Amino acid sequence: MLNEIINKNLNRIELDLNEIVGLKSIDFLDVFPVSEEHKLKLDEELAQISTLLQETERGNVYCLNTPIKTKYGDL
C-alpha cells in the first residue's frame, strides 16, 4: 500500500522540486489516511518496515528501517 501511495505522488514530488527554489530532493512523505480502515492497514504495513517514533492525535510518526528509493531521492 505504501509503495502504491508513493508511486501515485511522484508527479507531485516532481512539481515541488521544480517550484520550490533550492529544493534538491524529498526525503519524507506525509500520508493521511482517508478512513479508519485505511489508517489501520497503513499502520499494520508500517509496523513491519519501520520504527514508530511518536503517536499523536493526528496519527503516528514512523521512520522507515530502510529508505524507499525513488528517482527523486530516498524517502
Side-chain angles (χ1 to χ4, degrees), residues 12-66:
R12 180 69 242 168
I13 291 171
E14 184 172 3
L15 289 173
D16 286 347
L17 289 171
N18 290 333
E19 291 176 7
I20 301 172
V21 176
L23 188 62
K24 303 290 184 209
S25 67
I26 302 289
D27 61 358
F28 71 94
L29 182 68
D30 291 330
V31 178
F32 299 98
V34 295
S35 67
E36 186 62 25
E37 179 183 353
H38 189 233
K39 178 189 178 301
L40 294 173
K41 286 181 181 178
L42 279 170
D43 283 342
E44 183 178 305
E45 181 177 341
L46 286 165
Q48 304 299 314
I49 62 171
S50 65
T51 302
L52 177 63
L53 298 179
Q54 185 177 12
E55 293 182 54
T56 73
E57 288 181 19
R58 299 187 74 184
N60 296 332
V61 178
Y62 296 93
C63 180
L64 295 171
N65 296 331
T66 303

Side-chain angles (χ1 to χ4, degrees), residues 6-7 11 13 21 33 37 68 70:
I6 291 169
N7 287 331
N11 288 338
I13 291 171
V21 176
E37 179 183 353
I68 296 174
T70 73

